[in-house]
């Protein structure tokens, strides 16, 4: 009923969307592959669950974080094996500065979809916000293995590099 991680979906030439993302020649090409992956990850297999995800995302976009949590909690309650519901709710919790809840939802996302580079990047953002540059750097470094041209990942690595690898004198 729920989508498999994208690495399981290979093209006719044997390459997966994640492989194409890793090998994208330009940020624009990478962005196209990311949209393809996100579209796939957003399909639960249930029209009603997809509607809850859409409503949660719409509320998040409007800045109505309370409504977003309500829709996304209903989604995670009714479709606990749908990684994107957990990931999207983690984004809301992060905006609410509820970092423990965000981290728990990102952990659940990765348990369901270990290739979820957005969740890995989110873990980096939480560590960075909490002042743990070394752990943030490690998370961003892992996210970079999936999406090396992601501007947020590249900037996160720059911001946290000194904490993780030190400073040349």
């Amino acid at each position: 009923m729920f989508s498999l991680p994208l690495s399981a979906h290979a093209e006719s030439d044997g390459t997966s969307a994640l492989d194409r993302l890793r090998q994208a020649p330009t940020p624009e090409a990478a962005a196209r592959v990311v949209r393809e992956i996100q579209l796939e990850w957003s399909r639960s297999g249930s029209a009603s669950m997809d509607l809850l995800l859409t409503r949660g995302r719409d509320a998040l976009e409007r800045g109505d974080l309370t409504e977003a949590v309500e829709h996304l909690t209903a989604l995670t309650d009714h479709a606990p094996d749908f990684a994107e519901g957990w990931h999207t709710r983690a984004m809301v919790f992060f905006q609410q500065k509820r970092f423990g809840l965000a981290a728990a939802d990102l952990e659940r996302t990765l348990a369901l979809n270990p290739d979820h580079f957005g969740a890995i990047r989110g873990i980096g953002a939480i560590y960075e916000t909490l002042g743990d540059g070394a752990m943030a750097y490690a998370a961003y470094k892992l996210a970079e293995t999936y999406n090396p041209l992601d501007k947020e990942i590249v900037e996160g690595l720059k911001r946290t590099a000194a904490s993780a690898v030190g400073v040349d004198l």
Side-chain angles (χ1 to χ4, degrees):
M1 177 171 165
F2 299 105
S3 298
L4 295 172
L6 240 307
S7 59
H9 298 282
E11 303 296 321
S12 60
D13 65 359
T15 61
S16 72
L18 288 173
D19 291 333
R20 288 185 288 117
L21 179 58
R22 287 182 182 106
Q23 299 163 8
T26 65
E28 296 77 22
R32 282 191 299 274
V33 178
V34 166
R35 282 191 298 275
E36 174 188 332
I37 291 169
Q38 289 173 335
L39 180 63
E40 180 68 25
W41 284 348
S42 295
R43 293 183 182 133
S44 70
S46 163
S48 58
M49 296 305 105
D50 291 350
L51 179 62
L52 284 172
L53 179 62
T54 298
R55 286 183 176 169
R57 285 178 170 168
D58 289 347
L60 174 59
E61 191 173 307
R62 285 192 317 275
D64 188 342
L65 303 181
T66 301
E67 181 182 330
V69 167
E70 289 172 5
H71 288 300
L72 296 166
T73 298
L75 174 58
T76 58
D77 286 349
H78 289 85
D81 294 331
F82 181 44
E84 199 57 29
W86 296 98
H87 177 251
T88 306
R89 192 173 75 169
M91 294 185 331
V92 177
F93 286 149
F94 183 85
Q95 285 194 18
Q96 291 177 323
K97 299 187 183 338
R98 298 167 76 185
F99 302 121
L101 293 172
D105 279 6
L106 292 173
E107 182 179 10
R108 180 70 175 158
T109 302
L110 290 168
L112 295 167
N113 180 357
D115 294 323
H116 202 298
F117 49 85
I120 299 167
R121 184 180 69 199
I123 289 170
I126 290 172
Y127 277 123
E128 185 177 1
T129 300
L130 296 176
D132 191 337
M135 289 299 291
Y137 183 85
Y140 289 139
K141 207 60 181 156
L142 179 57
E144 182 187 41
T145 66
Y146 289 92
N147 192 0
L149 299 178
D150 182 301
K151 181 181 173 184
E152 290 181 39
I153 293 170
V154 171
E155 291 300 317
L157 286 168
K158 287 179 187 175
R159 286 189 309 270
T160 59
S163 299
V165 296
V167 178
D168 290 334
L169 299 176

